[in-house]
Amino acid sequence: MFKKSKLGISTALALVIGASAAMADNIKIAFIDPLSGPFAGTGANGLNQFEFAAETLVNAKGGVLGGDKFEIVAFDNKISPKESLIQLQVAIDQGIRFIAQGNSSGVANALTDAIEKHNKRNPDDRVLFLNYSAVDPALTNEKCNFWHFRFDANADLKMDALTDIMAQDKSIDKVYIIGQDYSFGKAVAAAAVRDLGNKMPNAEIVGNELHPIGKVKDFTPYARKIVASGANAVITGNWGADMLGLGKAVLENGYTGPIYTYYAAADGITAAFGETGKGSLRLVSEGQLNPPVSDRAAEYVKAFKAKYPDGNVSQSRITNTIEMLAKAIDGAGTATDVVAIAKQLEGMEHENLWGGMLKMRAEDHQVIQDVHVLAHTNEGVTFDYDNSGYGLIAENTVKMAGMDSPTSCKMKRP
Amino acid sequence: MDLILVNLIDGLVTGLLLFMLSAGLTLIFSMMGVLNFAHASFYMLGAYFAYQISLFFGFWMGLLIAPVIVGVMGAGVERYGLRRVHQYGHVPELIFTFGLALLIEELVQFLWGKNQMPYAVPEVLHFTAFSIAGNSIPAYKIFMIFVSLAIFMALLFVLTRTRVGMIIQAALSYPKTVEALGHNVPLVFMGVFGVGTALAGVAGVIAGPVLGTFPGMAFLLGSIVFVTIVIGGLGSLWGALVASLLIGWLTTFAASYNVAFADILTWIGFTMPADLDDSMWRDLWTLTMPQIGPILPYLLMVLILVFRPHGLLGKREA
């Protein structure tokens, strides 16, 4: 009997503690991204980075508003826009006011529309959309709205920076553009054609084509065309298996020039390229790991690797998202009035953990930051990817890329 | 002209790889009358096992051991899974193999994670065998061609020149009679299933380093293998070979030449609408060959099913 009642008491106690923990004012951020299916690897890695950033950059420093902690709540959207809208509703019903999403611009487009409608109809429980990775330019141009903030450089800004750096290399005179046949692939191709035409009028575009996304088993025929075209630079927006397949086929079939990519790193891709990619693979991206820009950045990566030995700090913008949100909440003095928080975010300037400054442009809610061209190599790499010894090292940097780039955004403010 | 030669070689490599998968599947299909949905999953297992073994003992041990493990697993699946389900009819068997495919994919993700594996071509074969007009042919591709051809020869020899092969062929068409003559037909079934999956394993081992080793690799190749055996004719080894090469060359050439549909349509005699955005045929006019390349084999399958339902070299209807 005695034992039984003791068990009963401890159960009751546990319930009380559980309830009080839930009652403490945690500021919840809904993470809506793929956690199952073919893109689960990317989603899960992003979730780890979010949780780690919230823990180390906010909670360990005493939280916001004098003690409130950030809590990341994960929702699996299976990378489907339809599923994302359901998860968004679930998150809103749970009283969550901050929605973070990044993988796939298709999902981001659906979410930004849904959030705009929701906020219009429910002024009492409005939410903010923190887009940390979806780079479709439309989101901060014709489809922009007051509730959407983008912390990654969009596809146009990246292409602008990339072509700035390509234009310095006078040996490039034949460029081949290849990508996946969907909105992002087409956006990259259009931006490349436009920017190359403006900045490198002497360079000829010897190929511009799209291949079916996730359907090509063997990229050898595409590689043959690229080699046969005599191209001495390749630009691609491919990601995942399509990136690895294309890159390997091109390099193994005799191409030796640079391959400029958006996403050829981490999630196993760096390790799989290994020696093959050295000297050719380039990445245009925000945030540099190598060489580390500061002790603080180095400490952060070390601590992350200690907690997730198989993980990568592959999306440095995630730390910016968390830090800027915390700063905005503190500045607004509230975690529930998202209009006040959004007004704090607008125009916010913040020191980037990965070097340089961040500026959230008020007119279109696009972060302006340094964009780098990174090279895949194993020399001078302090922090590798996939524990492979290979990593990315910053070769060129465009400071505050696209600071005065035009936007067609006409934002309606509440 | 040079490019045609290069494409012929590339297509041959793709075709022979496809053949190694379809050879086993076509035998299993004609024997049990059931599509083994998990066949491509054994291909994936072959690549992952070989990668794991290569970490400790090098590529060549992987090439030797991984297919054996995959074959034993396949035989086990037949003996303890399919054979039990068989008595309930074809539909449960189909569902069983479908479930198995999902199970294997989840298992692979559980053990190795969802990322790409750094499974690479061995150093000995990491050089350019020869080049044709600037297009280098890696030595590994030549190696792939020889391995596939050797397997085809061996398979053909066993099936047509040995006693075991005779019994298999007899068991394919008249299992009851063969059983009445005193042969252990279930054992033959298990053996064929084991060898078939082992072949898929070999394909995985040699394809993994070039096509990538990742959890989606089975799905990517799975459907095309079924197409191959339907085009080739169920149960026909030669048919599987012909269909594999056909598909290999078809997809390679389609991806290689930027033939625009607009050109073809103009050549036939249609005139291009002045304003494409208004035209209901806009999508057709703007298509190019590389865009539709991957679906050409499926188109071919539909045509084959309509005009020659037993496949190119098959003897019975699909």
Side-chain angles (χ1 to χ4, degrees), chain B residues 119-269:
Chain B
Y119 180 31
V121 172
E123 278 306 311
V124 207
L125 290 173
H126 204 143
F127 63 94
T128 302
F130 55 91
S131 320
I132 302 168
N135 290 286
S136 44
I137 310 288
Y140 192 74
K141 288 221 158 139
I142 308 296
F143 164 74
M144 284 171 84
I145 293 176
F146 276 109
V147 171
S148 326
L149 284 180
I151 283 175
F152 175 67
M153 299 292 183
L155 217 51
L156 202 63
F157 177 77
V158 169
L159 280 180
T160 55
R161 295 274 179 276
T162 65
R163 206 179 152 72
V164 180
M166 275 165 59
I167 297 169
I168 292 174
Q169 291 208 345
L172 290 180
S173 344
Y174 305 104
K176 287 270 172 338
T177 318
V178 176
E179 202 159 24
L181 288 172
H183 294 290
N184 189 349
V185 172
L187 185 73
V188 173
F189 278 21
M190 189 178 91
V192 172
F193 203 94
V195 171
T197 48
L199 278 180
V202 178
V205 176
I206 63 171
V210 279
L211 300 186
T213 308
F214 58 102
M217 62 189 290
F219 178 76
L220 200 56
L221 217 62
S223 51
I224 199 81
V225 179
F226 295 119
V227 174
T228 313
I229 63 167
V230 172
I231 293 178
L234 300 177
S236 161
L237 202 60
W238 281 103
L241 182 72
V242 171
S244 303
L245 292 178
L246 199 63
I247 290 180
W249 279 318
L250 192 65
T251 46
T252 305
F253 277 98
S256 294
Y257 293 95
N258 290 334
V259 181
F261 265 62
D263 295 339
I264 299 177
L265 290 174
T266 324
W267 183 75
I268 294 173

Side-chain angles (χ1 to χ4, degrees), chain B residues 61-109:
Chain B
M61 288 310 278
L63 182 61
L64 278 179
I65 300 171
V68 176
I69 303 177
V70 174
V72 170
M73 282 179 75
V77 164
E78 200 283 331
R79 175 68 186 79
Y80 297 103
L82 265 184
R83 197 178 296 182
R84 280 161 195 252
V85 185
H86 187 69
Q87 52 189 317
Y88 302 112
H90 282 336
V91 174
E93 280 182 296
L94 205 70
I95 296 170
F96 173 79
T97 60
F98 192 68
L100 190 67
L102 295 177
L103 189 72
I104 291 177
E105 187 172 328
E106 288 302 321
L107 195 74
V108 162
Q109 292 194 9

Side-chain angles (χ1 to χ4, degrees), chain A residues 341-362:
Chain A
I341 297 166
K343 292 221 161 110
Q344 285 289 321
L345 274 174
E346 283 195 325
M348 178 186 281
E349 292 194 18
H350 183 76
E351 194 190 330
N352 190 344
L353 175 58
W354 312 102
M357 289 299 291
L358 298 159
K359 187 175 189 317
M360 180 59 79
R361 233 166 29 174

